[in-house]
Amino acid sequence: MTYLGASAPLTVLDQRARDIFRRIVESYLQTGEPVGSRTLSLTGVSLSPASIRNTMQDLTMAGLLASPYTSAGRIPTHAGLRLFVDGLLEVGDVGAEERREIDARLVSRGRGFDEVLNEASSLLSGLAGGAGIVASPVRDAGVKHVEFVALGHDQALAVLVGDDGTVENRLMPLKAGVTPSTLQEASNFLNARLKGRPLHEARTEMRTELDAARQELDAAAARLVEDGLAAWSGGGERERALIVRGRANLLQDREAVEDLERVRVLFDDLEQKEQLIGLLDGVSAAQGVRIFIGSETRLFSLSGSAVIAAPYMTGRQRVIGALGVIGPARLNYARVIPLVDYTARVLGRILDGQET
């Protein structure tokens, strides 16, 4: 499992501060309650309550802890959680029982991939206790065939057929003097270079090849090729699906009950489809598990939520989408990180037609 985080400046903390900080964060992630010096003294810290309080004050001054109420204990700030996750968190592996559940629910022959995406979102919300999110793959099937068909003396139909059976038809104006042989020449040129390749990947290279081939191509055919490349989307214009399951889990957190306005903001954030897909597409580019806490994403800065996400990819390591979990900042990171990572890998194998 690859986890991509920032380098944690743990060197700024001495061993005493590091130990107390770790205990406070672990207790907070488990209980959601502020942690006081008396509680810490009962956990085996070989320091007096006064020494513990002094260290906690230093950690507060450093911006790693905060006191939510007057005379209360301390909780980690978002910066403190980031420091803990990057430098002190011990991430294990998915348990055997959870692996079996993920495999059983996702690896189902005869089930459409869209159904598997929905199931992935549902099981992540159930296992992780937050909202599960999955962005559908970018449609990038290879090109099977292209053709220009005359519809009259001034109009043509540009037809692109994908390997997945999809067809794109685009009406194009024709310059005067374009002959059937010109249409065929443009079609042959594109078929020879596009077949089996996703259009969005080949488009830039094709324009370079077209510049080099202009001496061989009829000028009218070259214009047709250029116009066709501009007209076809190659599936890129299709509606991307964003699947969100388990919103109700976000109401079960103790802090959510006390701060319903924060939950309302979070629910509004979950409706921002394009921004959420953009966030997950950014995770895809990183090719590893990513964690965002609070203001590290503009989308969830007001709700103070956390996102743990990972890309899913084919056996050839081609990233096609991403999934994750959204929840309160005190998510169980040690448990959720491997769950998200394993679910993403199972999805990739399903898409690639491999056995798990």
Side-chain angles (χ1 to χ4, degrees):
M1 176 177 65
T2 303
Y3 162 56
L4 303 174
S7 56
L10 285 175
T11 53
V12 302
L13 303 181
D14 59 26
Q15 189 57 46
R16 172 195 293 184
R18 189 179 305 186
D19 180 52
I20 290 176
F21 175 68
R22 178 182 57 79
R23 289 172 185 267
I24 290 175
V25 177
E26 288 177 346
S27 177
Y28 172 72
L29 292 179
Q30 182 177 2
T31 67
E33 299 285 348
V35 183
S37 57
R38 183 174 298 278
T39 299
L40 285 175
S41 66
L42 298 176
T43 64
V45 178
S46 57
L47 296 170
S48 67
S51 296
I52 294 174
R53 282 195 298 272
N54 289 337
T55 301
M56 292 172 66
Q57 182 62 29
D58 291 340
L59 291 168
T60 302
M61 294 292 291
L64 300 177
L65 299 180
S67 179
Y69 311 108
T70 304
S71 301
R74 299 292 194 273
I75 63 173
T77 62
H78 290 165
L81 286 172
R82 168 55 66 186
L83 179 65
F84 174 81
V85 167
D86 287 349
L88 294 174
L89 181 67
E90 296 182 3
V91 179
D93 202 354
V94 181
E97 183 175 342
E98 290 171 332
R99 284 176 181 265
R100 285 192 293 270
E101 181 175 357
I102 293 171
D103 291 346
R105 292 176 61 176
L106 293 186
V107 183
S108 177
R109 298 188 184 279
R111 172 186 285 177
F113 190 65
D114 288 343
E115 291 179 290
V116 178
L117 294 182
N118 275 281
E119 191 65 29
S121 182
S122 294
L123 76 85
L124 279 175
S125 70
L127 292 174
I133 54 172
V134 178
S136 66
V138 176
R139 302 291 186 180
D140 59 355
V143 174
K144 182 177 182 180
H145 179 73
V146 296
E147 187 173 358
F148 295 100
V149 181
L151 297 180
H153 67 279
D154 61 351
Q155 198 172 54
L157 188 67
V159 183
L160 182 146
V161 182
D163 285 336
D164 59 356
T166 58
V167 179
E168 282 193 49
N169 296 317
R170 296 289 188 270
L171 287 174
M172 296 172 49
L174 285 182
K175 300 289 185 180
V178 173
T179 65
S181 63
T182 301
L183 297 174
Q184 190 62 53
E185 182 181 5
S187 300
N188 292 342
F189 180 86
L190 284 172
N191 277 312
R193 290 161 177 80
L194 289 181
K195 190 169 184 179
R197 301 172 66 188
L199 181 62
H200 73 91
E201 291 181 3
R203 185 179 273 121
T204 301
E205 297 176 20
M206 280 294 305
R207 290 196 174 108
T208 301
E209 292 182 34
L210 180 60
D211 289 338
R214 284 188 187 276
Q215 292 181 348
E216 303 174 16
L217 278 173
D218 176 86
R223 280 197 303 271
L224 276 173
V225 168
E226 198 165 23
D227 291 346
L229 288 173
W232 290 314
S233 72
E237 294 177 353
R238 294 192 200 172
E239 186 77 3
R240 295 279 303 281
L242 178 72
I243 304 163
V244 183
R245 297 287 183 270
R247 287 179 175 85
N249 290 337
L250 303 173
L251 293 170
Q252 296 176 7
D253 181 59
R254 175 182 177 275
E255 293 180 0
V257 176
E258 297 176 351
D259 190 358
L260 292 178
E261 175 60 20
R262 179 181 63 81
V263 176
R264 185 193 65 77
V265 172
L266 174 56
F267 274 46
D268 287 344
D269 291 340
L270 291 174
E271 297 301 320
Q272 305 303 311
K273 176 183 173 182
E274 291 184 4
Q275 292 186 51
L276 265 173
I277 289 178
L279 174 65
L280 292 176
D281 284 348
V283 170
S284 298
Q287 297 196 11
V289 179
R290 292 289 306 275
I291 299 172
F292 304 95
I293 302 173
S295 60
E296 291 176 354
T297 65
R298 184 175 63 178
L299 181 60
F300 296 110
S301 60
L302 294 179
S303 67
S305 304
V307 182
I308 300 176
Y312 55 93
M313 61 189 72
T314 68
R316 297 180 298 279
Q317 299 301 297
R318 181 173 62 85
V319 174
I320 52 176
L323 53 77
V325 171
I326 298 174
R330 68 175 202 90
L331 275 171
N332 187 339
Y333 296 93
R335 170 176 157 76
V336 177
I337 290 173
L339 281 174
V340 168
D341 178 68
Y342 183 73
T343 303
R345 286 190 280 120
V346 172
L347 262 186
R349 289 199 295 266
I350 291 173
L351 187 62
D352 217 27
Q354 298 179 6
E355 296 283 341
T356 57

